[in-house]
Amino acid sequence: MSDPITAGAVAPDFTLQDQYGRDTALADLRGRPVLVVFYPLAFSGVCSGELADLSERHSEFEELGAEVLAVSVDSVFALRTWSDREGFPFALLSDFWPHGGVAEAYGVLDPRRGVARRGTFLVGADGVVRWSTVSPASRPRDTDEYLARLREHAGA
């Protein structure tokens, strides 16, 4: 397992399909900050709680001009079902094939389990990683910290 990329690294570019089968390319989002949130699996307990919190606070990310992208190894079909049920206001991206290729590029693929670890990367408007964190699978991440890092990055 490789080490996660850290602040100062150029974020690996990717194009993945969202829950509606549309391509989403990181390069197309240049000019605004992007929060790339890797999570193990749709419908799982901790992941559901984390994404529900991101959903409830999505307007705060929008106010800061940030795009939120949630990435897992689930299929587009599973992500669509989950998104329709939960009403997520952000893209759920499928890193299904090549299996976990983007998670691997970011250093957060757990090859033993075949899923992404809980890695979060704040990519600046210029495509450079400004902040990152990786949490244990059993511990949810802190949305307040995401927003604090975005504000810090934006100088707000």
Side-chain angles (χ1 to χ4, degrees):
M1 185 165 19
S2 60
D3 290 331
I5 59 173
T6 57
V10 173
D13 196 20
F14 59 80
T15 301
L16 294 173
Q17 286 190 335
D18 71 8
Q19 68 266 40
Y20 303 105
R22 298 179 302 220
D23 285 346
T24 298
L26 183 62
D28 291 345
L29 300 173
R30 288 269 166 88
R32 65 187 300 188
V34 179
L35 192 70
V36 182
V37 180
F38 289 92
Y39 61 96
L41 292 168
F43 297 102
S44 60
V46 175
C47 298
S48 293
E50 283 186 323
L51 269 60
D53 196 35
L54 284 171
S55 183
E56 288 171 16
R57 302 190 63 193
H58 190 252
S59 64
E60 295 176 66
F61 290 95
E62 288 181 319
E63 288 170 11
L64 292 168
E67 185 82 25
V68 176
L69 302 176
V71 184
S72 75
V73 298
D74 295 292
S75 72
V76 168
F77 307 106
L79 296 177
R80 173 68 185 262
T81 300
W82 196 32
S83 179
D84 285 351
R85 185 178 92 177
E86 302 298 328
F88 294 126
F90 44 79
L92 302 182
L93 302 181
S94 175
D95 193 12
F96 186 74
W97 196 258
H99 189 79
V102 175
E104 185 173 27
Y106 279 75
V108 295
L109 181 67
D110 180 342
R112 188 177 56 76
R113 294 179 55 224
V115 298
R117 295 184 291 154
R118 282 185 205 294
T120 306
F121 302 87
L122 173 56
V123 180
D126 58 358
V128 173
V129 174
R130 299 297 174 199
W131 172 80
S132 66
T133 187
V134 178
S135 299
S138 61
R139 193 178 85 223
R141 291 164 284 189
D142 184 0
T143 302
D144 285 332
E145 185 173 16
Y146 295 167
L147 290 163
R149 297 297 180 151
L150 270 165
R151 286 183 189 102
E152 179 181 289
H153 172 66

